[in-house]
């Protein structure tokens, strides 16, 4: 039976699976599905406003993974010092591999010997609005990432307001970006949520509450 797009159900699924495999091929190649509790993908977008997540990750070094839902994956950056609410602060953000949508809820311990081994909590999450524009027209987030500049408005439990990510160069094969808080009503140079609000918004646990090795 043909689907709404004129393709058979099998062919439509094959097309979707092919797209998913392409975007997540690097992610899956770096992990052993039988050894890590991390999701391997397959969960479709729920629709509605796109989501973001910031996961506190105690791996080889402590950092914060900043992820935006776009094109059925989570485009991702590792932010060593975490996000700031002070527009004067420029935070290094290293582009990492796309992650599956399922990862937005992931919290737990990645076992020693696995890529990214260590403890992970959902430090903040919510929805976001894409505010990337070129000549007055909205630029889709995936295209904005390719172009090297992304502007978003976050509606999280800890973070709110405008943030921008701008590519500044490379360290070998890794893209180097800068994460900056926009000057708006949600900016607050007096806040430091990274140190004052360490707990997960999902479980209330801190990194220290999770048991497990950091690899």
């Amino acid at each position: 039976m043909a689907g709404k797009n004129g393709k058979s159900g099998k062919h439509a699924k094959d097309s979707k699976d092919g797209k998913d495999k392409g975007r997540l091929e690097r992610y899956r190649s770096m992990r052993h599905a039988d050894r890590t509790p991390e999701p391997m993908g397959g969960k479709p977008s729920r629709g509605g406003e796109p989501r973001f997540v910031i996961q506190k990750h105690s791996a080889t070094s402590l950092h914060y993974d900043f992820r935006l839902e776009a094109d059925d994956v989570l485009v991702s950056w590792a932010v060593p010092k975490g996000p700031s609410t002070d527009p004067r602060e420029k935070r290094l953000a290293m582009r990492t591999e796309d992650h599956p949508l399922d990862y937005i809820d992931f919290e737990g311990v990645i076992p020693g010997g696995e890529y990214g081994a260590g403890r992970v909590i959902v430090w903040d999450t919510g929805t976001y609005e894409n505010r990337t524009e070129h000549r007055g027209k909205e630029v889709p987030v995936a295209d904005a990432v390719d172009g090297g500049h992304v502007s978003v408005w976050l509606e999280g439990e800890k973070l709110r307001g405008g943030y921008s990510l701008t590519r500044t160069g490379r360290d070998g094969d890794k893209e180097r970006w800068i994460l900056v808080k926009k000057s708006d009503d949600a900016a607050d140079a007096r806040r430091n949520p990274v140190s004052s609000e360490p707990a997960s918004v999902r479980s209330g646990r801190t990194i220290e509450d999770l048991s497990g090795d950091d690899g």
Side-chain angles (χ1 to χ4, degrees):
M1 180 180 293
K4 290 182 180 180
N5 59 4
K7 296 180 180 180
S8 72
K10 179 180 183 300
H11 289 165
K13 182 179 185 298
D14 289 346
S15 176
K16 170 66 170 64
D17 288 349
K19 178 181 177 182
D20 177 73
K21 181 180 179 181
R23 293 296 300 268
L24 297 176
E25 186 174 3
R26 183 163 180 254
Y27 170 90
R28 290 170 178 152
S29 72
M30 299 165 75
R31 292 161 174 83
H32 298 93
D34 58 338
R35 300 179 194 170
T36 178
E38 298 169 279
M40 291 295 122
K43 185 177 182 179
S45 173
R46 62 174 176 73
E49 293 180 280
R51 297 167 293 169
F52 81 93
V53 67
I54 300 172
Q55 283 156 318
K56 187 174 182 179
H57 187 178
S58 178
T60 304
S61 60
L62 181 67
H63 63 277
Y64 293 75
D65 292 308
F66 185 99
R67 312 189 197 280
L68 299 173
E69 179 180 3
D71 278 7
D72 290 329
V73 297
L74 297 172
V75 291
S76 302
W77 295 261
V79 184
K81 292 185 177 181
S84 174
T85 55
D86 184 351
R88 297 171 298 180
E89 293 281 344
K90 295 181 178 180
R91 296 292 168 89
L92 174 67
M94 299 299 293
R95 182 85 165 90
T96 62
E97 72 278 7
D98 293 337
H99 280 52
L101 290 181
D102 316 48
Y103 217 97
I104 208 161
D105 296 316
F106 176 69
E107 190 166 285
V109 180
I110 302 170
E114 288 299 295
Y115 177 78
R119 294 164 287 180
V120 179
I121 61 169
V122 177
W123 183 78
D124 196 20
T125 192
T127 60
Y128 78 91
E129 178 185 334
N130 178 22
R131 293 197 173 181
T132 316
E133 293 186 351
H134 180 66
R135 296 180 179 176
K137 293 185 178 180
E138 182 178 313
V139 179
V141 170
D143 293 342
V145 172
D146 289 342
H149 180 75
V150 184
S151 290
V152 294
W153 180 278
L154 303 182
E155 288 289 348
E157 296 188 39
K158 295 178 182 177
L159 299 184
R160 182 177 174 275
Y163 281 83
S164 66
L165 283 149
T166 303
R167 186 168 56 221
T168 60
R170 287 181 175 272
D171 287 341
D173 62 347
K174 295 182 178 180
E175 293 182 357
R176 187 173 62 252
W177 294 60
I178 293 294
L179 173 67
V180 179
K181 176 74 187 76
K182 296 288 188 77
S183 295
D184 52 39
D185 291 343
D188 188 348
R190 297 166 299 178
R191 281 187 71 205
N192 186 6
V194 165
S195 62
S196 63
E197 302 176 60
S200 164
V201 297
R202 183 169 175 259
S203 66
R205 297 182 296 180
T206 65
I207 279 285
E208 293 74 22
D209 291 330
L210 299 183
S211 60
D213 296 330
D214 287 349

